[in-house]
Amino acid sequence: MEETVAQPLKLLDPRKFRDSWTTADGEPRASVHLVKLETLWFCTGTLCNLTCEHCYIESSPTNDSLVYISVGEVATYLDEIEREGLGTQTIAFTGGEPFMNPDMVPILDEVLRRGYEVMVLTNAMKPMMKVSEPLLAVHKQYGERLTMRISIDHYSKDVHEQERGKRSWDPAIQGMQWLSSHGFHLDIAGRLFSGETEEQMRAGFARLFEREGIQMDAWNRHQVVLFPEMDERVDVPEITTDCWRKLKVSPDDQMCASSRMVIKRKGADHPVVVPCTLLPYQPEFELGQTLSESFQEVPLNHPHCAKFCVLGGASCSG
């Protein structure tokens, strides 16, 4: 039987994604207007207890290029939502590992006290368990509005640890079991990088949940969210204004039509707003210091816009 030789990845054409409003072929680049700010994300900081193999935000125990956001800074944005009547429903947190931020539990208390739905992306490992008692107190008071999204890249220990490193599996499963046993709303963020179909992945997660006694439904797309892989080096088509019609995709369905993210750069005096969770480092995507300033048209001038959102149909809020 003839062996299949893996084809080398086609690298991104350097002419692409150079101009905000025009593609390499001279076509008008697609863009997205913010329809309504349904979800406001906060990057809690890029420090993490893990160094993953393919982390899009390059979080690690040493990367503090995006610093911890404080409860007071979060409150300032919540005040603006309420003052301007923006109608935002969900406040979400990502990192790094959010529970590395010493203000994380007070932040959750502040946001939940104001009546928002909350989602936290966490690896459910030691940083979370170190604050298990105050986290449980928050859950007991506001648990119906709090969802913990656990980063489990694959349903098997070996593949998960290829990405997240040795000894990253057992603590994550134990953290997830603790959350499940205390009745937290849970979902899973997995990744389609193993070459398996979505059905195979969901079947694998179903076996995992049954084996570990975790109360989750692997076939529920809201409980197990499987994201396409992102690699800025790999070639991807640029999205033109004509692509909306050709692909039968609406700009209003893209992540930046309904969300923004707040970040704070190291050494900065104040946080800034960017279009989404995927573009925290590119200064050209900064949209100002306030939410009102961020109500701008966003050109899809990055490989992630094409691969993850338009062609992948993914959204971190979904």
Side-chain angles (χ1 to χ4, degrees):
M1 184 174 177
E2 188 175 329
E3 289 190 10
T4 305
V5 179
Q7 296 298 312
L9 294 174
K10 183 181 178 183
L11 297 181
L12 184 68
D13 185 334
R15 298 173 300 164
K16 292 182 176 180
F17 302 103
R18 306 291 292 179
D19 183 277
S20 294
W21 301 104
T22 307
T23 70
D25 292 334
E27 299 292 324
R29 186 180 303 285
S31 60
V32 173
H33 291 274
L34 184 65
V35 178
K36 181 182 178 182
L37 185 59
E38 295 176 355
T39 303
L40 179 61
W41 288 84
F42 288 92
C43 179
T44 59
T46 38
L47 285 172
C48 186
N49 55 309
L50 297 176
T51 302
C52 295
E53 190 71 23
H54 300 98
C55 178
Y56 82 96
I57 203 169
E58 300 170 2
S59 58
S60 74
T62 58
N63 179 9
D64 61 350
S65 54
L66 301 180
V67 297
Y68 291 145
I69 201 152
S70 71
V71 63
E73 288 164 336
V74 170
T76 296
Y77 286 97
L78 302 183
D79 290 343
E80 185 183 1
I81 288 171
E82 291 152 21
R83 185 174 63 249
E84 301 297 330
L86 299 182
T88 305
Q89 298 174 336
T90 301
I91 306 298
F93 298 93
T94 185
E97 167 51 48
F99 289 104
M100 296 277 285
N101 185 325
D103 266 8
M104 193 62 228
V105 174
I107 286 172
L108 289 178
D109 189 69
E110 175 70 16
V111 177
L112 289 161
R113 180 181 62 80
R114 295 190 188 216
Y116 295 96
E117 300 287 324
V118 172
M119 181 167 64
V120 184
L121 273 63
T122 176
N123 57 37
M125 295 175 69
K126 187 176 180 179
M128 184 192 78
M129 295 309 299
K130 285 176 69 174
V131 296
S132 58
E133 288 189 19
L135 180 60
L136 194 56
V138 168
H139 167 67
K140 285 180 178 177
Q141 189 164 4
Y142 307 110
E144 286 304 308
R145 289 186 280 108
L146 174 62
T147 297
M148 308 292 281
R149 174 171 287 179
I150 316 303
S151 300
I152 302 290
D153 291 325
H154 194 265
Y155 58 82
S156 73
K157 177 176 181 176
D158 288 348
V159 178
H160 178 84
E161 290 196 342
Q162 283 176 22
E163 173 63 23
R164 296 195 169 246
K166 292 182 178 179
R167 297 183 296 279
S168 62
W169 175 262
D170 290 342
I173 297 300
Q174 290 161 12
M176 190 161 57
Q177 289 171 323
W178 180 84
L179 290 166
S180 179
S181 69
H182 285 92
F184 283 79
H185 291 312
L186 297 182
D187 63 38
I188 293 287
R191 288 159 64 174
L192 293 167
F193 62 13
S194 65
E196 294 166 277
T197 65
E198 180 175 333
E199 185 172 326
Q200 288 171 320
M201 288 286 289
R202 292 189 182 281
F205 274 111
R207 293 191 299 271
L208 170 67
F209 298 154
E210 183 177 5
R211 184 176 71 243
E212 302 296 346
I214 295 165
Q215 301 303 309
M216 292 184 67
D217 178 5
W219 302 98
N220 184 328
R221 289 171 177 264
H222 295 288
Q223 284 206 329
V224 175
V225 184
L226 299 174
F227 291 120
E229 276 302 278
M230 297 181 293
D231 189 337
E232 297 179 44
R233 303 166 301 171
V234 177
D235 197 53
V236 66
E238 294 182 282
I239 306 301
T240 69
T241 54
D242 202 34
C243 287
W244 301 127
R245 178 185 58 81
K246 291 179 179 178
L247 297 170
K248 297 181 180 179
V249 172
S250 171
D252 293 350
D253 293 334
Q254 307 312 304
M255 186 161 42
C256 51
S258 60
S259 68
R260 291 289 185 261
M261 184 167 77
V262 175
I263 63 171
K264 189 174 184 181
R265 302 194 191 282
K266 187 175 183 178
D269 294 330
H270 49 74
V272 293
V273 185
V274 296
C276 69
T277 57
L278 306 180
L279 303 170
Y281 292 132
Q282 292 76 8
E284 66 270 22
F285 281 100
E286 286 190 17
L287 301 175
Q289 297 178 30
T290 68
L291 299 176
S292 297
E293 288 175 303
S294 79
F295 278 54
Q296 301 177 35
E297 187 176 7
V298 176
L300 303 186
N301 190 33
H302 193 278
H304 292 344
C305 304
K307 179 72 181 291
F308 187 87
C309 298
V310 178
L311 300 175
S315 170
C316 293
S317 304

